[in-house]
Amino acid sequence: MKWMKLLLFIQLNHEVLAGMILGAIAGYFYWTRFGMMWGTYPLSSECWVNCTYGCLFGGFIANLISEPWPDANG
């Protein structure tokens, strides 16, 4: 029963989950290119911070893209 709920959740939110995964990967790559080099700015000096922000931002952008636009006629 719990597996069915989990699969339903994944099925309904697969676009947002994919955006979160891609955002976390982008946050990791940002950290490897810029955060490790300078390391003085607290938001870019820690890997987990960049991955978390990338995950949240990727999920937000994916949610904006995947949501259907409201009809102008109501």
Side-chain angles (χ1 to χ4, degrees):
M1 188 67 168
K2 290 182 182 181
W3 287 104
M4 296 299 287
K5 289 182 181 180
L6 179 64
L7 291 176
L8 180 64
F9 176 78
I10 292 172
Q11 183 181 11
L12 293 175
N13 298 305
H14 66 278
E15 296 98 355
V16 176
L17 293 172
M20 291 174 74
I21 291 170
L22 290 175
I25 292 170
Y28 177 77
F29 283 128
Y30 178 82
W31 176 72
T32 58
R33 295 290 181 194
F34 302 108
M36 291 175 60
M37 186 181 307
W38 296 312
T40 56
Y41 187 58
L43 293 179
S44 62
S45 63
E46 296 286 334
C47 178
W48 68 271
V49 174
N50 281 321
C51 290
T52 303
Y53 279 130
C55 183
L56 292 174
F57 190 69
F60 177 69
I61 296 298
N63 188 28
L64 286 177
I65 292 172
S66 68
E67 286 291 315
W69 291 94
D71 189 14
N73 296 328

